[in-house]
Every structure is written in C-alpha cells, then in structure tokens.
Amino acid sequence: MKVEEVETTPSATPLLMPAGGTPHVIITEVELENAIAELASGSGPFAIDAERASGYKYNPRAYLIQIKRTGGGLHLIDPVAFPAPTPGTAHPLFGKLNDLLASDEVILHASTQDLPCLRDVGLNPVRLFDTELGGRIAGLPRVGLGPLIETQLGLSLAKEHSAVDWSTRPLPLDWLTYAALDVELLVELRAKISDLLSAQGKSEWAAQEFASILNAPPAAPRKDPWRRTSGMHKIKHRHHLAIIKTIWYTRDEIARESDIAPGKLLSDPAILELSIHAPTTRKEMERVLRPIGLRARWFERTAQWLDAIQHGLALPESEWPEVRALSDSMPPVKIWHHKFPSKFAHLSHARTAIEEQASKLSIPAENLISPELVRRICWSPPAGSTTTASATAVHDALTALGARQWQATIVAPLLANALLQNEPLPTPSDKTEKNEP
C-alpha cells in the first residue's frame, strides 16, 4: 500500500473495513476460477494494487494482489500459489485474468511501482488510470493514496502496515484488511480525479501520460550500479572504490541467490567503513563497524566480506575505478554558471518560464516537462534554434526525447525563447552580492 502519513482532519471518517468484509486469500485454482468469473460479471474498471516485500526480499515480486470491480467483488490473490509452468510464462489462470483485464480500464495508484511485478505474473493492462499521477496533473497538493482518499472522499486510511514483510505466510488478518482497503475506494477516487481533470481541460494530458507509462520499454540495466552505494560522495580514493565495488557485487550475488534484500546482509554505511579501513579479521571488522552500530546478520558472511576486501586490495591500480564514472552525459548543472555561461543562460530562462507556466496551469513543473529534457535541450539546442525562435524545431526535439505531445506543445515556445537569451537571469547569490555594501 502506498499511503503517506497524514494528520486526519476532524471531518474525515476512519475507514476500518471493506464494505463486504475482508475476503480470504485465494490460493487454489478453483478459488481463482470463481474469482475471475465473479469479476467478469461486474462492470466498469478494475481497481488493482500489489504488495511486495521491499526491504526484506531481493526479488521485487508481488506477494499479494488485490482486485476490485463494481459488481464483481473484492478479491485477494496470493500469486505465490500460482507459479508459472515454465520460466518467462504465466500461470494459465493469470493469463485468463489478463484477458479479462483487457476488456476495460485498470486503475492503479503510482502505477510505475506496481506494473513490473504485475507483468511478472502475466498481468499486463492495456488501458490505465493512475490516481496518483492524475492527482498531480490536476494540481492537487498531496497525492499519496491516504491524502487523496481523505481530501476527495472524506475518509481516512490507516498506515500501520505499510512497511511489513508481505512474504510472511500466513498473512495476518489485520494486514489483509489493510491491503483490501487499498482498492476499496479506488473506483470512486478515479471518478473524482477524472472529474477534476475534465473540469480543468486536462483529460487528454492525463490520457497521454497513462499511455506513455504503458508503452514505456523496460528500464535498461543500470551501468555501474555499485556507484549508487549511499555515501559514495565521501570516498575520494580509487583504491577505496575498488573495495566498495568488490564488496557490493559479493553482496548482490549473495542477496540474489538467497532472495534477501541486500541491505539486510550488509548496509551501505558498513560497506563504506569496510572499504576505508580494510579489516583482515573478524575482530578488526567488529572494531571498524562498532561506531555505526553492529548487526549480528552482518557477521553471518564474515569470510565472504573479508575475501571481497582482499580481492579489492589485490587489484592492480590499472583496474581501480575512476573517482567519477566515465560518461558522455552532460556535466553537472552546478558548474554551468561558471564554465558554460551560454548554456546556463538558456537554462535559467527556461526554468523560470516553465515554473511560471506550471503555476498558471496548476501542475508541478516536473510533470509539465521533465527537468532532464529541459537540460538536454539547453545543452544541445536543435539546429538554428539559438538564432531564431524555432518552436517547431524544439517541439520535434522534445518529442524525440520522449516528451508527450501536450507537453511539447506547451513548453516548446518557452524553450525556443529561452534559447535566444545570452545573459542568465540573476541567481539568489547574485542578488545578495549586488546588495552588499
């Protein structure tokens, strides 16, 4: 469940139980057949959510799937009970359920979080309504499921089980009630947000965004994922990076094989401390890690951590990672002002214009257009756009980079004008310096 912590207003009524009670968990083929038949007898969109064991398991699979449809009941399905017959396929009944979902719209909240694990079991929606993204486009200030249910429907949701281990079996009744409430009011919430979008003339914008989510290709494997270790900015020496890399890959292999969240095996701060101090014994390892708080589980693989440290130490300097990853991407924006003033001039005008337009449209600037796309256009303007206000060229460049048509139509003229500017807008620091005696 994706519920933000909220302070319930006096007018919000706590929602404690689904209208039809908490259903039992479906774990047999007969039960799933009956659920599919009941859903088929209903009408309208399908409200769906999935629960994963984030922070507990390595595999981001779904451990519970909740589905509700008007007239079709609310159902809790244990996908673990329906394994695929062969790798890369889906259980036949999930294939049948997927065919049914294709008959209407699927409602998800923060869909990009759940779509991968739903697709993993063979559920691949073809029509989508994302209540979280819809709320953003409608300009609502708080778009977590809890705040939306409260502000739009006058009810409040509990949040006490949002971070539990959903791989637990059997699942406690209060957890199941919590999960069922995830979809209890999604159909009604979708209707409210749809009305807001329609009243603001943004329905087509939302439709393009939802289609873009469904059509987006799978994310490419991350290059050098070990570089995302928390606290890497503290590391200045390449030989320390070599040790971080060897420990990270050792941890990842163990986590994948045992299906345990990597951070459960060894935390990122622990990896950094081990890389800096390079202990050679368990006693030294305990001494190094004691300041950050020892965890018994860290020492279940002591020999493997120490072997990884030794492997990193043994690497020749030619194999040490660079402090900064080699990349053909843009340089950090923070250095544009001084090293690339013309690029920064474009960017400063673009950001200001987009912020102003986003405010007028009551939509977050990052939903009006991705900041990454703005930076790319300002860094590599379309041919001729820095000498003439060519909104068409900018529009085409934006869509080529992945912007939706509605975004490109609104933003292209703003960017085209920004690309003609040669002097950056004053920054807060500039204004302060000018006012100093």
Side-chain angles (χ1 to χ4, degrees):
M1 179 185 282
K2 304 162 205 63
V3 181
E4 296 177 358
E5 183 173 354
V6 298
E7 294 183 4
T8 305
T9 60
S11 60
T13 302
L15 183 63
L16 304 177
M17 184 75 64
T22 302
H24 72 279
V25 180
I26 294 170
I27 59 174
T28 70
E29 293 188 351
V30 171
E31 291 173 331
L32 186 52
E33 283 271 21
N34 292 338
I36 293 172
E38 187 176 350
L39 287 165
S41 69
S43 61
F46 301 87
I48 299 183
D49 189 45
E51 306 294 352
R52 300 175 300 282
S54 303
Y56 296 92
K57 295 293 187 179
Y58 183 91
N59 193 321
R61 67 177 300 174
Y63 284 94
L64 186 71
I65 295 174
Q66 308 98 282
I67 305 180
K68 184 181 181 183
R69 192 184 197 192
T70 302
L74 193 163
H75 307 274
L76 304 179
I77 304 170
D78 180 359
V80 180
F82 302 92
T86 57
T89 65
H91 188 282
L93 287 179
F94 272 88
K96 185 174 181 179
L97 177 57
N98 187 55
D99 290 341
L100 176 60
L101 296 181
S103 67
D104 214 302
E105 181 183 79
V106 166
I107 309 169
L108 290 166
H109 187 81
S111 60
T112 54
Q113 296 182 33
D114 286 341
L115 278 173
C117 69
L118 292 174
R119 287 168 170 165
D120 188 54
V121 297
L123 302 181
N124 194 8
V126 296
R127 293 169 57 192
L128 172 69
F129 191 101
D130 185 325
T131 48
E132 190 257 3
L133 181 54
R136 289 185 183 279
I137 296 172
L140 298 177
R142 302 163 69 205
V143 294
L145 184 57
L148 285 179
I149 292 290
E150 183 172 332
T151 59
Q152 302 304 308
L153 301 175
L155 297 167
S156 64
L157 293 178
K159 62 177 182 60
E160 63 267 21
H161 302 306
S162 59
V164 299
D165 180 2
W166 289 95
S167 68
T168 300
R169 292 296 183 272
L171 288 165
L173 178 61
D174 55 339
W175 294 16
L176 296 175
T177 299
Y178 173 91
L181 292 175
D182 237 6
V183 295
E184 173 72 359
L185 297 174
L186 268 187
V187 172
E188 292 84 352
L189 181 61
R190 180 247 185 259
K192 287 282 189 178
I193 294 176
S194 179
D195 288 345
L196 288 174
L197 292 169
S198 179
Q200 297 174 19
K202 297 177 179 177
S203 296
E204 177 57 27
W205 299 4
Q208 290 183 31
E209 292 299 305
F210 302 155
S212 176
I213 290 173
L214 291 178
N215 296 328
R222 191 181 298 278
K223 183 179 180 181
D224 291 341
W226 62 273
R227 288 187 180 273
R228 291 179 62 82
T229 304
S230 300
M232 282 284 286
H233 62 282
K234 302 175 184 176
I235 304 300
K236 307 300 181 184
H237 302 291
R238 293 174 60 209
H239 64 285
H240 293 158
L241 293 178
I243 299 174
I244 290 174
K245 182 178 179 179
T246 56
I247 298 176
W248 191 96
Y249 278 110
T250 297
R251 183 184 69 171
D252 190 68
E253 182 179 355
I254 296 170
R256 182 171 55 252
E257 291 176 352
S258 54
D259 195 17
I260 297 174
K264 290 280 186 182
L265 296 172
L266 192 68
S267 71
D268 283 5
I271 290 180
L272 263 61
E273 292 299 319
L274 293 176
S275 73
I276 293 170
H277 300 284
T280 59
T281 66
R282 179 190 174 103
K283 187 174 182 180
E284 290 179 3
M285 183 173 162
E286 290 178 354
R287 177 178 54 79
V288 166
L289 297 182
R290 185 169 288 110
I292 63 173
L294 299 179
R295 302 289 185 274
R297 195 162 199 172
W298 294 353
F299 298 94
E300 294 175 1
R301 310 275 182 170
T302 300
Q304 287 165 290
W305 307 140
L306 294 176
D307 284 347
I309 292 169
Q310 290 305 309
H311 178 61
L313 288 171
L315 289 174
E317 185 174 351
S318 60
E319 295 183 25
W320 293 351
E322 295 296 330
V323 173
R324 296 196 180 279
L326 298 177
S327 174
D328 58 359
S329 62
M330 300 172 289
V333 169
K334 63 183 179 182
I335 69 171
W336 286 25
H337 195 179
H338 298 293
K339 292 193 174 183
F340 308 98
S342 64
K343 308 291 186 184
F344 184 75
H346 303 333
L347 184 61
S348 68
H349 284 272
R351 283 175 164 175
T352 298
I354 289 169
E355 288 284 355
E356 291 175 353
Q357 186 64 36
S359 179
K360 293 176 182 177
L361 296 172
S362 297
I363 185 172
E366 64 270 19
N367 290 111
L368 177 57
I369 190 68
S370 164
E372 172 71 10
L373 300 192
V374 175
R375 291 191 293 269
R376 288 190 176 279
I377 293 295
C378 291
W379 181 257
S380 300
S385 58
T386 56
T387 55
T388 59
S390 178
T392 300
V394 175
H395 180 285
D396 293 345
L398 283 171
T399 55
L401 289 170
R404 268 63 75 193
Q405 285 294 333
W406 75 271
Q407 294 177 316
T409 298
I410 295 171
V411 172
L414 306 178
L415 284 180
N417 181 64
L419 294 176
L420 298 179
Q421 310 306 315
N422 297 315
E423 294 295 330
L425 293 172
T427 64
S429 60
D430 294 334
K431 295 177 182 178
T432 300
E433 290 175 2
K434 288 181 179 179
N435 292 332
E436 288 178 353

